[in-house]
Structures are given as C-alpha cells and as structure tokens.
Amino acid sequence: MSALLEVDGLSVELPVAGEYRTVLQDVSFSLDAGQTLGLVGESGSGKSMTVRSIAQLLPPGARTSGSITFDGASVLDLRGDALRKFRSRDVSMIFQDPRAHTNPVRRIGDFLTEAMRVNGRVPRREAERRAVELLAEVGIHDGERRLRQYPHELSGGLLQRVMIAASLAVKPRLILADEPTTALDVTTQSEVMAILARLQREYGMAMLFITHDLELAAAVCDETVVMYAGAMVEHQASSRLHTDPLHPYSAALMQARPEIERRVPRLPAIPGHPTSAFETPDGCAFAPRCRFAEDACRAALPAFERVGDGEYSRCRRAEELRGQLLVPAVVSHEEVVR
Amino acid sequence: MSSTAGRRADARTDSERTTAAPGGVPILAVDGLRKTFGRGRKEAVAVDGVSFELAAGGSLGIVGESGSGKTTTARMLIGLEQPTAGRIVLDGADHTRPARRIRDLRARGRLIQIVFQDPYTSLDRRQKIGDCLGEVVRLHFGLSGSALDARVRELGELVGLHDRQLRALPRELSGGQRQRVAIARALAAEPKILILDEAVSALDVSIQAQILNLLADIREQRGVSYVFISHDLAVIRQITDTAIVMRHGRVVEQGQTADVLDSPQDPYTRLLRDSVPHAGWRPGADALVTS
Ligand SMILES: Nc1ncnc2c1ncn2[C@@H]1O[C@H](COP(=O)(O)OP(=O)(O)OP(=O)(O)O)[C@@H](O)[C@H]1O
Ligand SMILES: Nc1ncnc2c1ncn2[C@@H]1O[C@H](COP(=O)(O)OP(=O)(O)O)[C@@H](O)[C@H]1O
Ligand code: SF4
Ligand SMILES: [Mg+2]
Ligand SMILES: [Mg+2]
C-alpha cells in the first residue's frame, strides 16, 4: 500500500526584493492514513512553508521543485476543480491564531455553515443542526448559543475548537495543523489535543502536526521530523527522539529547554540564533552553533542519510556521535563564544 | 480573602507553603488585592483577594490559565490600574494608588518596571535602540554627553547587545534581541523590582534559554527582585524561588516553587502540572477533574 501523502525532494524559493530566496531544501517524508507526523523546529525553519506547499497555498511567485503526491495524484499539477476539491475536501488546515482566520463581524454560525450551504447546498436549518453536532464533537455543548456569538466573545481555546469543528465538517483525509495549540495555555492545549486525537482515531485521518515544542511532538506524534534552516535534519520515531537523538541540533534543543522537575544552575543555551535557509553559510547549516562542528562540516552540506531502521540524520558525524549527544558539555559553548 | 480561595493558599502557618519573605522587610507585599471591571450586572471580577510577599532579591512566579488575572495583578503593581480594594506596599511604602504627579511617577519607575511578551509593540519604531535606552537614563538620572553614552553602552553589555545593535532600529533586530532591549530599557531606571509578563513565552527555545540565563545573571549581579508571570511551569521552575497559582482571579496555592510543582496540593495545580506534555502523556485525560 502506498502512503496517503508523499513529499519527495521538495524545495521552494520565494521572491524577495527581486531575487529568489531558498526557504525549503530537499524535504521528503511520507504519511499513512491514521498516522501523525510531527514537524518540529524554531521560527523560520520552514515548517509553515512545508504545510503551505502541500495545501498549494504558497505566496505568489513561489518556485517549487520536487514532488508532492496525495493518494497517487501529483498535488503540484492539480488545477481548477481538482485543486478546489483537494483543498476543500481532502485536506483541512488548522492555524496557530484562530482569530486571524475568522471574520470579526461574522457570527460563528455563519462561519461554520457557509461551506455546507455554498458547496454542499445544504438548507440553512439543516446546516445549523449539523454545525451544532460538530461543536458537540469538539466538546462545545451549548452550540446553539455559540452559533449566534461573534469571535471576540469566545476565548482562544473555544475559538480554536470552533476552527477544528469547521475543518472537520468535510471529514478530510489529511489535517495540516500548524501550531494549533501554541497560543493556548497548557490545560486548554491538553483538551484540544485530546479532541484531535479522538477525532483522528474515529475517522482515520492522517495529521501533519507542526509545533516548536519537542515534548508535545514526542507525546502526540508517531514519528517526528526536526527541521533547521529550511531542511530536515532528523527523522525518527517520536518515542526515541528524547533518549536517542540523531542530530546535534535536536539534542541541543532538548537540553536548552528548562525542566519542570528540576532547576539547573545554568541552561545549556545554544549560542547565536536560528537562521533561515537563505542566510546559511556553505556546508552544514547548524555548524556555527554546533558544539561538535569540525572544519569538514563547513565544506559541504551533509546528506540526509539513513542511520538505522527508520532513522535519518543530516549530520556527517551522526554515527560517531550517537549516544553522546545528550552528554552535557564540560564548558558550555556559549561561554566560549562570549 | 474569600473562603473558596482555598485553604491551601491561606495556610500561612505552614512556612513551606507561603511566599512570605524569610526575615526582614519584603521588597513587595500585596494584601487582599482586588480588581473589578464594569458595574452592576456587567461587573466582572478579574482579581479577587490576592495576597503575597516577595523577598528582596527574590523571584516570585505567577502561574495560571489564561484570564486568571495575572496581567491585571501586574498592571496594578506598576500603577497602570487602580486596585478596587487591597493594599500594595513597595519597599516599605504604600503604593496602592497609582502615581499621578511626574515626581511620583518617576519615583515609582525607579522602584518597579515591567517587560511584556511582545516588545515590538512597545518600542518606538523610528527610534534607534541606543537612543531609546538613553532617553530613560536621562529621564531618571539626568546624565548627558559621554556619561550618558557610557551608561547606554554598559546597559547594552549587560544584556548582550553590541554597539552595532545599539545603532539599529527595532525592526532590524530579531525577536530575542528586541526582548534584550526591553529588558535593558526596564533596567535603565535601576528598579528594585522587575515584572516579566510572559516575557520569554514567544521566544524560540534556544533564545529563551539565553534570556533566562541572562535574567539569572542580572539578579545575581544587581540584586533585582523578579515577579515572573508565565504559563510555562518549566520556566517557572528555572527562574523563581516562590510561586503563586492563580485561578479565576484568586490564589489557589502558594509556596516554594519546588514544593508547589513537586507536590501540588490544590486540584487545579495538579491539573496544570499534569497538562504539561511528557512521556506517556495522554492529552485531556485529566480535563474533567477541574472544579
Ligand atoms: N480593561 C478590562 N476591561 C474588562 N475586563 C478586563 C480588562 N482587563 C482584563 N479584563 C478581564 O480580567 C480577567 C483577567 O485578565 P488578565 O489579563 O489579568 O488575565 P491573564 O491571567 O493575564 O491571562 P493571559 O494568560 O491570557 O495573559 C479576564 O477575564 C479579562 O477578560
Ligand atoms: N511570504 C513570504 N515571502 C518571503 N519569505 C517568506 C514568506 N513567508 C515566509 N518566508 C520565509 O520562509 C522561511 C520559512 O518560514 P516558515 O515556513 O514560515 O517558518 P516556520 O513556520 O518554521 O517558522 C523563513 O525564512 C521566512 O522568513
Ligand atoms: S555536520 Fe558537523 S556541524 Fe553539522 S551538525 Fe553534524 S557535527 Fe554539527
Ligand atoms: Mg510557522
Ligand atoms: Mg496576561
């Protein structure tokens, strides 16, 4: 059986001030029905661009190479009705900031029933009844009242549930969730994740789940891809990521996070700041911040290579360093740089 | 304090479960703080009988869900909002009422400053970073010329900003650098207390770690006391000594941060703790335990 979604060698360039800038480089992964794949990385690493490429929602003028296959069809070649059907029925997107994706002067009810009434030609009363059912599915039990409310009358968590309800109306086969819980507090995040997990189980939907929170990805995704500067640097089972990272960046990210169980005298911060693909020097993009960097790392971009069964890394020292990445540095690189 | 605010929060006799400053006068003491918005049927209680103390040189965390009254509490502390009831004592003097006269405003500014989540909105987009810092230094200390320049450079160094960045405009800096500017600007007044309201929440993990280390250094070097507001319990663990947990405007639990997080007594604190993703986590498993 072939995968539901297959992304192969995807690269994207965007025009900025008259010149093309690489924002994604050689991204490849596949996703089966019912599976959740996590995409993790800091800002500018290309997570949203990956999702927008799949949904064919790239900014105008974008140049794409590589392929994206959904259920056997080439997404990059979809046009007209086929593209509309793909966007409106096969995939749904959930965004970080639900408020930016609703119209402040339109009621929740209009927002939820519009697609049904326009695309599905469902009569108003019937569409509203279905909307109330959808709201119940995401844990909102006073749906009739909510339909008459405006977005500003709902908290961020409630509004995100409404967005999820809307994206489920068509029972998509793939959910593209771009940091859906980043703006929520932890208790609300937990509730929203529970809803997504249940619906996914019930409908067998595949989900591409974007987050910058490695712990969250590890907890809810089957596999996780770590991105840095527009490229994938690691891909493996989420359950192993925390104990056996395969790339110095993933390890450094985990170490830089404070822990709820203990306080450390000093956090092992990563020196410098995250960069975008077009700002990176030749060679390994992470080299300027990597405590394991050697001269050879700066010579050529390391290949994204298999390190073991279902395990991939874009580090030329991956095999040699395996098992040592989480060992604390004796002198933190940060102090050396300063 | 109202009875439903929780025994745990009121159990002041148990020394491990309060934020009371150990010996000496606390730099900040808040008692029965209350804030309501609107009147009559529309009245909403944002903060409801909040009491806590912060030791000089200490660091107090405020955690709680969205809308629990954290920012409203902070706004009352710096005098942006007038409390409906209760008392605020800063460095031994009553500061319950917001300052009005310039002289009092300045005095309060030298006592307490705040850094918000998104520094971009609070920086003047046409003003160079160095000028922005210089303005505060001039206002509070009347410095000018080379003494002013030296102080600005010193502030830049304190937060890791180079000369080149001091000559830049806000939009030319990264989010982490802008947050350093906001911290430097708050420190320019040499306050005794610094409130950080979700000040590291929007930062990338690698930058967040840099800023947390920086804040720890500043506390050690300058003896500044922190009120640190965050949703993120791991960040609270790293940066605070004591903590209060707020829900619906009330303090439901308070104590040493380590105790509050390791053995939470209030069901809501337990829910917060269990909602943090971890190995073997089942999202939403505890959701209905909330009272
Ligand atoms: N100016 C205002 N007018 C009316 N209500 C307000 C005002 N400011 C705050 N509130 C209300 O007071 C309550 C507490 O808000 P506050 O901003 O203090 O929450 P918070 O704990 O900081 O939340 P978050 O974690 O989302 O920042 C909320 O119900 C809020 O809607
Ligand atoms: N509309 C756009 N035009 C030009 N560059 C863009 C645009 N949107 C994003 N980028 C750039 O693409 C890169 C990847 O961005 P993005 O996918 O949004 O990152 P992430 O979601 O991981 O934070 C960044 O360098 C960003 O600055
Ligand atoms: S290739 Fe070299 S610089 Fe890049 S991550 Fe591996 S060790 Fe670090
Ligand atoms: Mg993004
Ligand atoms: Mg707030």
Side-chain angles (χ1 to χ4, degrees):
Chain A
M1 196 187 87
S2 69
L4 178 67
L5 174 73
E6 200 139 359
V7 175
D8 193 21
L10 176 70
S11 295
V12 173
E13 290 175 290
L14 295 178
V16 176
E19 59 177 290
Y20 274 91
R21 281 181 174 178
T22 304
V23 295
L24 277 189
Q25 267 188 94
D26 189 25
V27 172
S28 306
F29 57 81
S30 67
L31 184 56
D32 293 331
Q35 274 237 313
T36 303
L37 176 69
L39 275 189
V40 180
E42 296 182 282
S43 53
S45 59
K47 306 180 297 293
S48 297
M49 282 296 142
T50 304
V51 160
R52 292 175 69 176
S53 307
I54 296 167
Q56 287 285 285
L57 290 171
L58 286 174
R63 277 206 304 232
T64 314
S65 61
S67 70
I68 300 174
T69 314
F70 181 85
D71 198 15
S74 166
V75 172
L76 296 176
D77 297 321
L78 292 177
R79 298 283 180 274
D81 281 349
L83 179 58
R84 259 192 299 282
K85 172 184 169 292
F86 172 71
R87 277 198 200 132
S88 63
R89 309 203 58 119
D90 293 331
V91 300
S92 272
M93 286 190 73
I94 307 173
F95 300 94
Q96 171 171 347
D97 179 6
R99 233 165 275 280
H101 293 271
T102 49
N103 184 337
V105 298
R106 300 199 58 214
R107 291 172 203 266
I108 301 300
D110 298 328
F111 174 72
L112 279 175
T113 57
E114 183 173 52
M116 289 186 248
R117 290 169 54 207
V118 175
N119 300 341
R121 301 182 191 249
V122 180
R124 180 184 203 102
R125 292 286 289 273
E126 170 64 11
E128 285 184 356
R129 197 187 54 75
R130 294 236 297 256
V132 170
E133 277 175 18
L134 284 169
L135 289 176
E137 287 217 46
V138 296
I140 300 178
H141 295 288
D142 50 353
E144 260 145 60
R145 181 168 77 91
R146 299 296 181 188
L147 291 187
R148 292 191 302 273
Q149 291 187 310
Y150 290 95
H152 75 261
E153 298 177 68
L154 272 59
S155 70
L158 270 178
L159 200 58
Q160 193 58 292
R161 286 178 206 229
V162 170
M163 300 302 281
I164 294 172
S167 68
L168 293 169
V170 293
K171 301 223 168 32
R173 296 164 72 194
L174 171 64
I175 302 179
L176 303 172
D178 192 351
E179 307 214 28
T181 61
T182 300
L184 308 178
D185 60 50
V186 284
T187 48
T188 315
Q189 163 169 284
S190 170
E191 288 164 18
V192 166
M193 288 318 301
I195 290 163
L196 279 173
R198 178 171 57 79
L199 294 167
Q200 206 189 352
R201 223 172 22 246
E202 283 170 12
Y203 300 139
M205 294 178 289
M207 177 157 74
L208 191 58
F209 185 81
I210 296 190
T211 174
H212 58 252
D213 182 344
L214 267 170
E215 276 99 8
L216 180 60
V220 303
C221 303
D222 301 300
E223 292 175 16
T224 299
V225 165
V226 180
M227 296 190 69
Y228 189 78
M232 296 166 71
V233 295
E234 166 161 358
H235 182 177
Q236 69 159 325
S238 304
S239 55
R240 310 272 316 255
L241 194 68
H242 271 72
T243 48
D244 188 16
L246 304 171
H247 193 279
Y249 174 63
S250 327
L253 261 191
M254 283 186 262
Q255 291 178 307
R257 255 302 283 171
E259 285 178 67
I260 197 169
E261 290 85 11
R262 69 190 62 85
R263 173 174 183 173
V264 294
R266 208 160 183 80
L267 289 166
I270 312 177
H273 57 87
T275 52
S276 303
F278 62 87
E279 303 168 319
T280 54
D282 287 343
C284 172
F286 188 56
R289 310 178 72 195
C290 179
R291 68 179 167 120
F292 302 103
E294 299 172 335
D295 285 344
C297 300
R298 298 179 189 95
L301 177 70
F304 192 63
E305 281 179 332
R306 184 174 176 280
V307 205
D309 208 16
E311 302 171 332
Y312 300 84
S313 170
R314 194 186 289 278
C315 168
R316 40 174 293 284
R317 303 187 62 192
E319 288 185 59
E320 168 202 350
L321 293 172
R322 189 157 191 180
Q324 297 170 48
L325 293 175
L326 290 174
V327 176
V330 182
V331 183
S332 104
H333 190 54
E334 181 199 22
E335 333 266 70
V336 175
V337 170
R338 269 209 280 190
Chain B
M1 187 180 280
S2 112
S3 62
T4 42
R7 271 163 295 134
R8 294 151 195 107
D10 291 336
R12 289 256 171 134
T13 43
D14 178 353
S15 66
E16 291 207 339
R17 288 283 167 192
T18 84
T19 55
V25 184
I27 190 78
L28 165 66
V30 159
D31 190 33
L33 207 57
R34 180 180 169 86
K35 179 72 193 178
T36 59
F37 292 104
R39 302 164 178 266
R41 283 206 318 131
K42 289 214 157 170
E43 188 186 78
V45 184
V47 173
D48 190 6
V50 165
S51 305
F52 59 81
E53 287 184 357
L54 169 62
S59 176
L60 170 94
I62 306 185
V63 300
E65 66 196 348
S66 204
S68 58
K70 306 181 296 293
T71 297
T72 306
T73 301
R75 290 173 59 85
M76 290 190 278
L77 294 182
I78 51 164
L80 281 175
E81 209 84 72
Q82 165 139 14
T84 311
R87 227 162 94 84
I88 299 172
V89 177
L90 297 174
D91 201 16
D94 188 295
H95 282 270
T96 307
R97 299 181 68 83
R100 292 205 198 288
R101 287 176 306 172
I102 298 281
R103 206 167 53 102
D104 298 339
L105 277 170
R106 257 183 227 172
R108 193 164 181 144
R110 304 240 357 226
L111 267 176
I112 189 162
Q113 287 282 335
I114 190 162
V115 176
F116 289 108
Q117 173 165 350
D118 179 11
Y120 201 53
T121 49
S122 62
L123 293 174
D124 181 343
R125 55 189 68 211
R126 284 155 311 189
Q127 192 177 39
K128 290 188 181 148
I129 301 305
D131 297 340
C132 159
L133 298 179
E135 196 174 84
V136 184
V137 174
R138 202 166 358 167
L139 178 76
H140 284 285
F141 303 100
L143 295 186
S144 60
S146 59
L148 178 68
D149 291 346
R151 177 70 187 131
V152 166
R153 233 173 295 124
E154 194 187 332
L155 279 167
E157 255 162 50
L158 183 65
V159 299
L161 292 170
H162 311 295
D163 282 356
R164 188 168 54 83
Q165 287 147 354
L166 293 177
R167 287 191 301 268
L169 291 169
R171 71 174 138 79
E172 299 170 89
L173 300 183
S174 69
Q177 288 168 335
R178 282 199 292 264
Q179 201 55 283
R180 287 170 196 263
V181 174
I183 293 169
R185 187 177 56 175
L187 291 173
E190 296 181 20
K192 296 190 169 165
I193 305 161
L194 184 59
I195 305 179
L196 298 122
D197 188 355
E198 301 284 359
V200 301
S201 309
L203 302 175
D204 276 315
V205 170
S206 64
I207 306 303
Q208 188 182 75
Q210 294 171 4
I211 302 282
L212 289 174
N213 285 343
L214 171 71
L215 287 169
D217 291 345
I218 290 172
R219 176 149 82 107
E220 205 179 289
Q221 290 165 19
R222 306 279 155 138
V224 185
S225 313
Y226 294 152
V227 175
F228 199 99
I229 300 176
S230 178
H231 287 136
D232 189 332
L233 300 186
V235 166
I236 289 289
R237 181 82 188 232
Q238 178 63 20
I239 198 84
T240 70
D241 306 330
T242 56
I244 66 178
V245 181
M246 290 185 68
R247 180 159 203 236
H248 301 328
R250 294 176 180 159
V251 176
V252 296
E253 180 156 2
Q254 59 181 286
Q256 298 296 311
T257 305
D259 294 335
V260 170
L261 295 181
D262 288 342
S263 54
Q265 301 297 305
D266 185 88
Y268 175 68
T269 318
R270 248 176 271 146
L271 172 69
L272 260 189
R273 180 75 173 73
D274 294 339
S275 300
V276 178
H278 51 88
W281 185 61
R282 277 201 309 127
D286 324 275
L288 300 173
V289 190
T290 32
S291 48

